[in-house]
PDB file of all heavy atoms in Angstrom:
ATOM      1  N   ASN A  13     158.942 142.675 162.616  1.00 93.00           N
ATOM      2  CA  ASN A  13     157.776 142.399 163.451  1.00 93.00           C
ATOM      3  C   ASN A  13     158.221 142.009 164.857  1.00 93.00           C
ATOM      4  O   ASN A  13     159.361 141.581 165.043  1.00 93.00           O
ATOM      5  CB  ASN A  13     156.995 141.207 162.870  1.00 93.00           C
ATOM      6  CG  ASN A  13     156.240 141.567 161.617  1.00 93.00           C
ATOM      7  OD1 ASN A  13     156.746 142.278 160.763  1.00 93.00           O
ATOM      8  ND2 ASN A  13     155.040 141.061 161.503  1.00 93.00           N
ATOM      9  N   PRO A  14     157.324 142.146 165.818  1.00 88.00           N
ATOM     10  CA  PRO A  14     157.640 141.635 167.155  1.00 88.00           C
ATOM     11  C   PRO A  14     158.021 140.153 167.086  1.00 88.00           C
ATOM     12  O   PRO A  14     157.480 139.418 166.244  1.00 88.00           O
ATOM     13  CB  PRO A  14     156.334 141.824 167.920  1.00 88.00           C
ATOM     14  CG  PRO A  14     155.656 142.962 167.237  1.00 88.00           C
ATOM     15  CD  PRO A  14     156.023 142.824 165.791  1.00 88.00           C
ATOM     16  N   ASN A  15     158.961 139.754 167.923  1.00 88.00           N
ATOM     17  CA  ASN A  15     159.383 138.352 168.024  1.00 88.00           C
ATOM     18  C   ASN A  15     160.092 137.811 166.797  1.00 88.00           C
ATOM     19  O   ASN A  15     160.141 136.598 166.614  1.00 88.00           O
ATOM     20  CB  ASN A  15     158.195 137.436 168.332  1.00 88.00           C
ATOM     21  CG  ASN A  15     157.838 137.511 169.791  1.00 88.00           C
ATOM     22  OD1 ASN A  15     158.743 137.544 170.634  1.00 88.00           O
ATOM     23  ND2 ASN A  15     156.572 137.572 170.081  1.00 88.00           N
ATOM     24  N   ALA A  16     160.606 138.684 165.965  1.00 93.00           N
ATOM     25  CA  ALA A  16     161.344 138.192 164.807  1.00 93.00           C
ATOM     26  C   ALA A  16     162.727 137.710 165.242  1.00 93.00           C
ATOM     27  O   ALA A  16     163.383 136.953 164.517  1.00 93.00           O
ATOM     28  CB  ALA A  16     161.470 139.290 163.763  1.00 93.00           C
ATOM     29  N   GLY A  17     163.154 138.151 166.415  1.00 93.00           N
ATOM     30  CA  GLY A  17     164.483 137.788 166.898  1.00 93.00           C
ATOM     31  C   GLY A  17     165.476 138.935 166.770  1.00 93.00           C
ATOM     32  O   GLY A  17     166.691 138.722 166.744  1.00 93.00           O
ATOM     33  N   LYS A  18     164.985 140.173 166.706  1.00 95.00           N
ATOM     34  CA  LYS A  18     165.855 141.347 166.585  1.00 95.00           C
ATOM     35  C   LYS A  18     166.794 141.462 167.771  1.00 95.00           C
ATOM     36  O   LYS A  18     168.007 141.641 167.602  1.00 95.00           O
ATOM     37  CB  LYS A  18     165.003 142.629 166.487  1.00 95.00           C
ATOM     38  CG  LYS A  18     164.132 142.696 165.260  1.00 95.00           C
ATOM     39  CD  LYS A  18     163.268 143.942 165.257  1.00 95.00           C
ATOM     40  CE  LYS A  18     162.220 143.949 166.376  1.00 95.00           C
ATOM     41  NZ  LYS A  18     161.285 142.820 166.327  1.00 95.00           N
ATOM     42  N   SER A  19     166.235 141.354 168.969  1.00 92.00           N
ATOM     43  CA  SER A  19     167.076 141.523 170.155  1.00 92.00           C
ATOM     44  C   SER A  19     168.071 140.380 170.271  1.00 92.00           C
ATOM     45  O   SER A  19     169.219 140.582 170.690  1.00 92.00           O
ATOM     46  CB  SER A  19     166.208 141.604 171.407  1.00 92.00           C
ATOM     47  OG  SER A  19     165.326 142.699 171.293  1.00 92.00           O
ATOM     48  N   ALA A  20     167.635 139.173 169.885  1.00 92.00           N
ATOM     49  CA  ALA A  20     168.558 138.031 169.928  1.00 92.00           C
ATOM     50  C   ALA A  20     169.718 138.269 168.957  1.00 92.00           C
ATOM     51  O   ALA A  20     170.886 138.020 169.286  1.00 92.00           O
ATOM     52  CB  ALA A  20     167.809 136.746 169.578  1.00 92.00           C
ATOM     53  N   GLY A  62     159.666 145.969 168.081  1.00 91.00           N
ATOM     54  CA  GLY A  62     158.951 145.299 166.999  1.00 91.00           C
ATOM     55  C   GLY A  62     157.779 146.135 166.522  1.00 91.00           C
ATOM     56  O   GLY A  62     157.199 146.906 167.273  1.00 91.00           O
ATOM     57  N   ASN A 124     165.747 135.021 159.745  1.00 96.00           N
ATOM     58  CA  ASN A 124     166.075 134.429 161.044  1.00 96.00           C
ATOM     59  C   ASN A 124     165.190 133.211 161.340  1.00 96.00           C
ATOM     60  O   ASN A 124     164.190 132.985 160.673  1.00 96.00           O
ATOM     61  CB  ASN A 124     165.906 135.511 162.123  1.00 96.00           C
ATOM     62  CG  ASN A 124     166.566 135.124 163.426  1.00 96.00           C
ATOM     63  OD1 ASN A 124     167.612 134.481 163.422  1.00 96.00           O
ATOM     64  ND2 ASN A 124     165.960 135.507 164.533  1.00 96.00           N
ATOM     65  N   MET A 125     165.584 132.461 162.335  1.00 95.00           N
ATOM     66  CA  MET A 125     164.815 131.314 162.827  1.00 95.00           C
ATOM     67  C   MET A 125     164.631 130.241 161.757  1.00 95.00           C
ATOM     68  O   MET A 125     163.609 129.554 161.735  1.00 95.00           O
ATOM     69  CB  MET A 125     163.432 131.750 163.334  1.00 95.00           C
ATOM     70  CG  MET A 125     163.501 132.862 164.366  1.00 95.00           C
ATOM     71  SD  MET A 125     162.110 132.787 165.465  1.00 95.00           S
ATOM     72  CE  MET A 125     162.343 134.259 166.425  1.00 95.00           C
ATOM     73  N   ASP A 127     166.001 127.568 161.795  1.00 92.00           N
ATOM     74  CA  ASP A 127     165.925 126.301 162.537  1.00 92.00           C
ATOM     75  C   ASP A 127     164.472 125.947 162.862  1.00 92.00           C
ATOM     76  O   ASP A 127     164.058 124.793 162.763  1.00 92.00           O
ATOM     77  CB  ASP A 127     166.775 126.365 163.812  1.00 92.00           C
ATOM     78  CG  ASP A 127     166.364 127.522 164.730  1.00 92.00           C
ATOM     79  OD1 ASP A 127     165.894 128.564 164.202  1.00 92.00           O
ATOM     80  OD2 ASP A 127     166.497 127.385 165.953  1.00 92.00           O
ATOM     81  N   LEU A 128     163.686 126.960 163.223  1.00 89.00           N
ATOM     82  CA  LEU A 128     162.284 126.692 163.568  1.00 89.00           C
ATOM     83  C   LEU A 128     161.489 126.311 162.331  1.00 89.00           C
ATOM     84  O   LEU A 128     160.625 125.430 162.378  1.00 89.00           O
ATOM     85  CB  LEU A 128     161.649 127.910 164.233  1.00 89.00           C
ATOM     86  CG  LEU A 128     162.216 128.285 165.602  1.00 89.00           C
ATOM     87  CD1 LEU A 128     161.407 129.423 166.215  1.00 89.00           C
ATOM     88  CD2 LEU A 128     162.209 127.080 166.531  1.00 89.00           C
ATOM     89  N   VAL A 153     170.424 131.989 162.429  1.00 96.00           N
ATOM     90  CA  VAL A 153     169.804 131.444 163.634  1.00 96.00           C
ATOM     91  C   VAL A 153     170.449 132.212 164.781  1.00 96.00           C
ATOM     92  O   VAL A 153     171.542 131.881 165.235  1.00 96.00           O
ATOM     93  CB  VAL A 153     170.052 129.929 163.792  1.00 96.00           C
ATOM     94  CG1 VAL A 153     169.390 129.418 165.064  1.00 96.00           C
ATOM     95  CG2 VAL A 153     169.513 129.183 162.582  1.00 96.00           C
ATOM     96  N   ALA A 154     169.773 133.283 165.220  1.00 93.00           N
ATOM     97  CA  ALA A 154     170.385 134.199 166.180  1.00 93.00           C
ATOM     98  C   ALA A 154     170.859 133.467 167.423  1.00 93.00           C
ATOM     99  O   ALA A 154     171.966 133.699 167.902  1.00 93.00           O
ATOM    100  CB  ALA A 154     169.394 135.289 166.556  1.00 93.00           C
ATOM    101  N   VAL A 155     170.013 132.568 167.940  1.00 91.00           N
ATOM    102  CA  VAL A 155     170.352 131.941 169.215  1.00 91.00           C
ATOM    103  C   VAL A 155     171.501 130.948 169.090  1.00 91.00           C
ATOM    104  O   VAL A 155     172.100 130.557 170.091  1.00 91.00           O
ATOM    105  CB  VAL A 155     169.129 131.241 169.852  1.00 91.00           C
ATOM    106  CG1 VAL A 155     168.144 132.286 170.366  1.00 91.00           C
ATOM    107  CG2 VAL A 155     168.446 130.317 168.865  1.00 91.00           C
TER     108      VAL A 155
HETATM  109  N1  GTP B   1     164.980 128.875 167.712  1.00 55.92           N
HETATM  110  C1  GTP B   1     165.278 130.163 167.536  1.00 55.92           C
HETATM  111  N2  GTP B   1     164.825 131.059 168.413  1.00 55.92           N
HETATM  112  C2  GTP B   1     165.133 132.354 168.220  1.00 55.92           C
HETATM  113  C3  GTP B   1     165.909 132.780 167.135  1.00 55.92           C
HETATM  114  N3  GTP B   1     166.030 134.124 167.223  1.00 55.92           N
HETATM  115  C4  GTP B   1     165.373 134.517 168.325  1.00 55.92           C
HETATM  116  N4  GTP B   1     164.818 133.447 168.930  1.00 55.92           N
HETATM  117  C5  GTP B   1     163.975 133.469 170.129  1.00 55.92           C
HETATM  118  O1  GTP B   1     162.772 134.119 169.789  1.00 55.92           O
HETATM  119  C6  GTP B   1     162.276 134.879 170.868  1.00 55.92           C
HETATM  120  C7  GTP B   1     162.049 136.313 170.470  1.00 55.92           C
HETATM  121  O2  GTP B   1     163.273 136.902 170.149  1.00 55.92           O
HETATM  122  P1  GTP B   1     163.586 138.430 170.422  1.00 55.92           P
HETATM  123  O3  GTP B   1     164.988 138.650 169.999  1.00 55.92           O
HETATM  124  O4  GTP B   1     163.207 138.854 171.770  1.00 55.92           O
HETATM  125  O5  GTP B   1     162.588 139.096 169.385  1.00 55.92           O
HETATM  126  P2  GTP B   1     162.445 140.626 169.037  1.00 55.92           P
HETATM  127  O6  GTP B   1     162.362 140.706 167.563  1.00 55.92           O
HETATM  128  O7  GTP B   1     163.502 141.431 169.699  1.00 55.92           O
HETATM  129  O8  GTP B   1     161.027 140.935 169.641  1.00 55.92           O
HETATM  130  P3  GTP B   1     160.449 142.362 170.070  1.00 55.92           P
HETATM  131  O9  GTP B   1     161.530 143.087 170.787  1.00 55.92           O
HETATM  132  O10 GTP B   1     159.241 141.992 170.886  1.00 55.92           O
HETATM  133  O11 GTP B   1     160.046 143.034 168.805  1.00 55.92           O
HETATM  134  C8  GTP B   1     163.314 134.732 171.968  1.00 55.92           C
HETATM  135  O12 GTP B   1     162.850 133.734 172.838  1.00 55.92           O
HETATM  136  C9  GTP B   1     164.556 134.298 171.251  1.00 55.92           C
HETATM  137  O13 GTP B   1     165.381 133.512 172.064  1.00 55.92           O
HETATM  138  C10 GTP B   1     166.358 131.786 166.209  1.00 55.92           C
HETATM  139  O14 GTP B   1     167.019 132.067 165.217  1.00 55.92           O
HETATM  140  N5  GTP B   1     166.017 130.504 166.460  1.00 55.92           N
END
Side-chain angles (χ1 to χ4, degrees):
N13 287 41
N15 282 319
K18 296 177 294 301
S19 301
N124 195 35
M125 306 208 186
D127 57 329
L128 294 186
V153 180
V155 288

